[in-house]
Amino acid sequence: MAGVGTFVLEFATLSRLSGDAKYEEAANKALDALWNRRSFINLVGNHINVQSGKWTAADSTIGSGVDSYFEYLVKGGLLLNRPDFIKQFHTYERAIKKYMSHDDWFLWSNMNKGHKTLPLFSSLDAFYPGMLTLIGNLEQAIRTAKQYHQIWRQFGSLPEFYNIQNKNIHMNREAYPLRPELIESVMYILRATNNDAQFFEMAMDYVGSIVNIGKVYCGFATVIVLFLILATDWIHREYLII
């Protein structure tokens, strides 16, 4: 899903710079195809066969496999003055709230029946509070960002997958490949709240953690975290950098 739905910003820019509309038209066609294949309850799966148009995975999630499709609807709608994209996102947002929300988390659900399938958070989910902020749903954005921040404080970064039910890393997916999604979301929230101090402190927490576990002599590296303690406790950690 994310691969199919993530062209419109770049391709529209290319069309407008080159004067050739075919690039933007191709991206719009892909977005139309995805929109027309949503389920009757307005959810989408996370994998689709681009030749047949058939869903190959019916798990609906805001994160892994789907994330940037939603992101580009919002950003494309704003940048390109396409209110239809924003309207589509609002349709998805309502369905996500109805079928996937749980205590300010968003769980995996079946795209056709709406029942929850996995109690998982993926680090890619963390873009979502930023998009909610951009469309004006700041209250929900703040509540969800705070939930994600608690994971960061627990492990000193965001693991790739976290089991919300067990409150622990899911199936040894503890790697942190320097993903920017949560930091971007907090940036939007900071601007929307006129630099509220609590979110500035969150941002500084992220910076400190990344320096502490990811900095190497030539820059910053992906980390596979073996043992983590609260990011604010600045004491020795053991980790492997790849």
Side-chain angles (χ1 to χ4, degrees):
M1 276 293 293
V4 178
T6 314
F7 293 102
V8 72
L9 290 177
E10 291 83 0
F11 278 30
T13 301
L14 182 58
S15 281
R16 296 174 190 210
L17 290 174
S18 67
D20 190 338
K22 67 181 180 183
Y23 306 107
E24 186 170 357
E25 289 171 355
N28 289 338
K29 185 177 179 180
L31 289 177
D32 288 342
L34 294 177
W35 173 248
N36 292 332
R37 285 169 174 79
R38 71 194 188 281
S39 72
F40 75 98
I41 60 172
N42 292 320
L43 292 177
V44 292
N46 57 0
H47 289 280
I48 191 169
N49 185 310
V50 296
Q51 294 180 320
S52 68
K54 302 296 184 182
W55 293 104
T56 58
D59 285 315
S60 190
T61 169
I62 62 170
S64 181
V66 185
D67 55 319
S68 54
Y69 168 54
F70 294 143
E71 179 183 7
Y72 270 47
L73 285 178
V74 175
K75 292 181 177 178
L78 295 173
L79 180 66
L80 305 172
N81 192 25
R82 290 290 303 268
D84 53 322
F85 291 168
I86 302 295
K87 184 177 180 180
Q88 289 176 21
F89 181 80
H90 276 298
T91 299
Y92 288 128
E93 182 199 6
R94 288 191 294 270
I96 288 167
K97 182 177 181 181
K98 180 176 181 179
Y99 296 107
M100 298 166 64
S101 63
H102 176 74
D103 293 338
D104 298 319
W105 300 93
F106 296 97
L107 310 185
W108 293 34
S109 297
N110 180 274
M111 65 173 287
N112 296 307
K113 298 182 179 179
H115 61 267
K116 295 177 176 64
T117 56
L118 288 170
L120 293 184
F121 160 85
S122 77
S123 60
L124 294 172
D125 291 20
F127 85 100
Y128 199 66
M131 299 307 100
L132 293 177
T133 303
L134 287 176
I135 65 167
N137 192 350
L138 182 60
E139 183 178 341
Q140 179 67 71
I142 288 173
R143 292 199 305 266
T144 299
K146 287 182 176 179
Q147 293 280 31
Y148 297 169
H149 182 61
Q150 291 306 309
I151 302 177
W152 192 292
R153 287 181 58 82
Q154 183 179 353
F155 298 105
S157 64
L158 285 185
E160 285 289 80
F161 284 91
Y162 176 84
N163 189 302
I164 298 163
Q165 188 175 50
N166 298 336
K167 298 182 179 180
N168 211 338
I169 294 169
H170 179 69
M171 295 181 64
N172 301 315
R173 296 297 300 275
E174 62 270 278
Y176 176 59
L178 301 181
R179 294 198 186 277
E181 284 81 4
L182 183 55
I183 296 166
E184 180 181 356
S185 284
V186 171
M187 177 195 72
Y188 289 129
I189 293 171
L190 263 172
R191 298 192 66 166
T193 59
N194 294 316
N195 296 319
D196 187 309
Q198 64 177 315
F199 302 109
F200 182 79
E201 290 172 5
M202 276 189 192
M204 294 306 296
D205 196 6
Y206 303 150
V207 171
S209 297
I210 292 170
V211 169
N212 194 50
I213 67 173
K215 186 172 176 58
V216 294
Y217 73 94
C218 59
F220 292 85
T222 290
V223 296
I224 297 178
V225 181
L226 302 181
F227 299 99
L228 278 174
I229 306 170
L230 289 180
T232 54
D233 282 341
W234 307 127
I235 56 181
H236 179 68
R237 296 175 179 85
E238 298 180 51
Y239 54 85
L240 172 68
I241 297 179
I242 60 171

